[in-house]
Amino acid sequence: MQLQNVLSQSISQALQTLFSISVDASQIALQPTRKEFAGTFTFVTFPYTKQVGKGPEQIGQALGEHLKENTTEVKNFNVVKGFLNLEIEEKEWLRLFKGLMQDENYGQGEPSGRNVMVEYSSPNTNKPLHLGHLRNNFLGYSTAEILKANGHEVMKVNLVNDRGIHICKSMLAYEKFGNGETPESSGIKGDHLVGKYYVLFDKAYKGQVDELVAQGMEKEEAKKKAPLMLQAQEMLLKWEQDDKAVVDLWKQMNSWVYAGFDQTYRNIGVDFDKYYYESQTYTLGKERVEEGLQKEVFFKKPDGSVWVDLTGEGLDEKLLLRADGTSVYITQDLGTAELKYNDFPYNQSVYVVADEQNYHFQVLQATLKKLGKPYAEGIYHLSYGMVDLPSGKMKSREGTVVDADELVQEMIDTARQQTEELGKIEGFTDEQAKELYHTLAMGALKYFLLKVDPKKRMLFNPQESIDFRGNTGPFIQYSHARISAILRKAGEMGITVDVSAFDKVESLHETEQEVIVQLVNYPAVVKEAGNLFAPSVIANYGYELAKAYNRFYQEVSIFNETDEQARNFRIALSAMVARFIRHSMSLLGIEVPERM
């Protein structure tokens, strides 16, 4: 049983014994003690003053004395106003440490019986991935790994937006300006090549709009009447009618994009169990729209378009099908939700999508509820904020969004520069150095994007993210490499550590206890991160653990320690810190090097 649970039960019993009030142990909340006070856990007594009829400090004092007298785990206590701070016996920390050392699955939740689907990435096949996609991919991948660690059965999926007017824009521009160019003939990565034609369409289209405005047409009218826009709409209709030439071009260009995406996904270390394609789900969505019409929960307007009235849900009327019969985003989302549930009957379906789509997911859930779908309740939108860069840094080739591949390469170059300046690659082959730069770059990038609460808009500073000091991925990675060097040295000295090698250790240095507290708390951290869908909780844990270990390393000798038991204990403590850093960072998709 976790120490917090033992203490909660003891406090529950003490409240009954001392004050005759019954509080279930599960309702007893313990907080980490603030650093300026002695103790590990804090119990807040304010909520019990009315029931007990005493002041918060009196309650705390009575409880503290009772726990110290009757609970073997409590060494001492202090009361600050309504806060009872509990100090734990050193032998209790040692007992807990020995227990987690022998439990290979410590921090891994028992099977929960819950199915959770996590959808992330969701790129469009008309352009390459950008900085926003990186936050999305890292957030989705990490959330899925954290949910697995909480004992859930998880399926990671990618819904590819491979159809629609925006895809036709790239196709039309390629048809007009491409001259048979391919990724091979141009030396351009497939997703970048198709993105190039999307930009070309936009440039030519804006030129046509300006021309029509110059001729006296209103701008909004000009946007609709520009020849390129009319041709793109015609191409979309032909695609939906299965026109062979249009479909062949669509397949060809998409295949280039998929090859490019696969390369990026491998490079950034994310993967998927299944792909869905909107081209395969929009027809099912149309069937759901028809079902809604038959059930009279949807309605048609005079122009033939289909709508759902969600004003009763605090939303508004929402278009589900255009007058010409073509689908909109929500149409295909209705189809995809059903397809996903049929493939993997989930308790929860997590959509990792930027906060600009908050309204969209409210509409999707409300619409599915109108249809009476059993999976509607399980929909959860993991919303995240935009990512900004310091102005003037790393402009993309289009000058508007920051390309993911360019950013990753920039990070690798920065990692190389920083590492060489610090002289941390002595004895590395060129291949090993290259691998290290990539590991550090991805650790810096992922950690920086994940350490912030997902809902917050954030500023990403590449230079700051790769610093080997402070709250960064490389600081944690370097801490792991330092411990690996200690363990290698211990191995060379023939020291193999198990619990019996330090069974006579009874006292702990303050920094040793601080590290053990961090280790013992790991399961609670994993659980909290899973409940909140927040990789930032894991990131913060990894930093606090590495920081606590580095303080221990600075203040306590390992190999110069003359007491063999104390030395062996410190080596075992180091090994456990390395294990927990590895595990916590793996939940963020971050690799940690053995040496630097």
Side-chain angles (χ1 to χ4, degrees), residues 241-433:
Q241 290 158 2
D242 212 20
D243 178 279
K244 186 178 185 310
V246 171
V247 170
D248 285 351
L249 176 62
W250 171 77
K251 286 179 179 174
Q252 178 63 75
M253 292 181 73
N254 275 355
S255 72
W256 295 339
V257 173
Y258 297 146
F261 284 168
D262 286 347
Q263 194 178 325
T264 303
Y265 289 141
R266 280 195 304 275
N267 200 27
I268 65 174
V270 301
D271 58 14
F272 307 92
D273 300 310
K274 190 174 178 66
Y275 282 81
Y276 289 95
Y277 300 90
E278 292 193 349
S279 58
Q280 296 168 0
T281 65
Y282 80 103
T283 50
L284 182 58
K286 286 183 174 183
E287 288 175 21
R288 295 292 67 76
V289 172
E290 187 56 42
E291 179 190 337
L293 285 169
Q294 288 172 6
K295 288 181 173 178
E296 298 184 349
V297 292
F298 302 160
F299 66 95
K300 268 191 182 179
K301 287 196 174 179
D303 65 356
S305 59
V306 181
W307 296 71
V308 60
D309 183 359
L310 299 173
T311 50
E313 285 78 8
L315 303 167
D316 53 15
E317 292 184 351
K318 177 67 181 174
L319 174 71
L320 300 178
L321 211 59
R322 295 191 189 98
D324 63 3
T326 55
S327 61
V328 291
Y329 277 122
I330 198 85
T331 325
Q332 50 226 23
D333 279 350
L334 293 172
T336 308
E338 178 163 323
L339 204 57
K340 285 160 71 174
Y341 185 74
N342 290 343
D343 288 345
F344 185 70
Y346 51 74
N347 301 97
Q348 196 156 38
S349 179
V350 180
Y351 292 78
V352 183
V353 182
D355 54 15
E356 60 202 8
Q357 296 295 327
N358 288 350
Y359 169 76
H360 176 85
F361 284 99
Q362 291 175 336
V363 168
L364 176 63
Q365 187 168 45
T367 305
L368 288 169
K369 283 181 181 177
K370 286 262 190 194
L371 286 168
K373 298 301 175 187
Y375 44 86
E377 283 295 340
I379 285 177
Y380 179 82
H381 176 206
L382 178 46
S383 170
Y384 63 90
M386 303 296 286
V387 185
D388 301 311
L389 279 165
S391 59
K393 288 211 176 193
M394 289 188 297
K395 289 283 186 182
S396 73
R397 58 172 63 85
E398 289 91 17
T400 51
V401 294
V402 177
D403 176 79
D405 294 324
E406 288 179 15
L407 178 57
V408 168
Q409 188 54 53
E410 181 86 14
M411 293 298 297
I412 292 169
D413 293 342
T414 306
R416 179 188 299 110
Q417 179 192 339
Q418 294 263 41
T419 309
E420 287 174 352
E421 281 175 11
L422 293 167
K424 293 186 184 295
I425 51 163
E426 289 173 23
F428 277 63
T429 66
D430 288 347
E431 194 55 41
Q432 287 170 334

Side-chain angles (χ1 to χ4, degrees), residues 496-561:
T496 54
V497 176
D498 59 25
V499 170
S500 64
F502 56 86
D503 57 2
K504 292 184 177 63
V505 172
E506 290 185 345
S507 64
L508 292 169
H509 187 272
E510 177 195 348
T511 59
E512 293 172 328
Q513 180 172 309
E514 188 184 346
V515 171
I516 295 175
V517 170
Q518 290 285 346
L519 297 175
V520 168
N521 283 343
Y522 187 52
V525 170
V526 173
K527 188 175 181 182
E528 182 188 358
N531 290 341
L532 298 176
F533 300 95
S536 54
V537 172
I538 298 291
N540 185 59
Y541 173 82
Y543 173 60
E544 291 298 331
L545 176 59
K547 201 166 64 167
Y549 181 82
N550 278 283
R551 185 175 163 224
F552 153 77
Y553 181 81
Q554 297 297 332
E555 294 188 24
V556 180
S557 175
I558 296 178
F559 292 109
N560 291 333
E561 174 57 63

Side-chain angles (χ1 to χ4, degrees), residues 108-127:
Q108 180 72 36
E110 293 293 318
S112 68
R114 284 177 63 80
N115 288 348
V116 185
M117 184 175 271
V118 183
E119 178 195 300
Y120 60 98
S121 198
S122 307
N124 297 333
T125 59
N126 62 329
K127 51 191 171 185

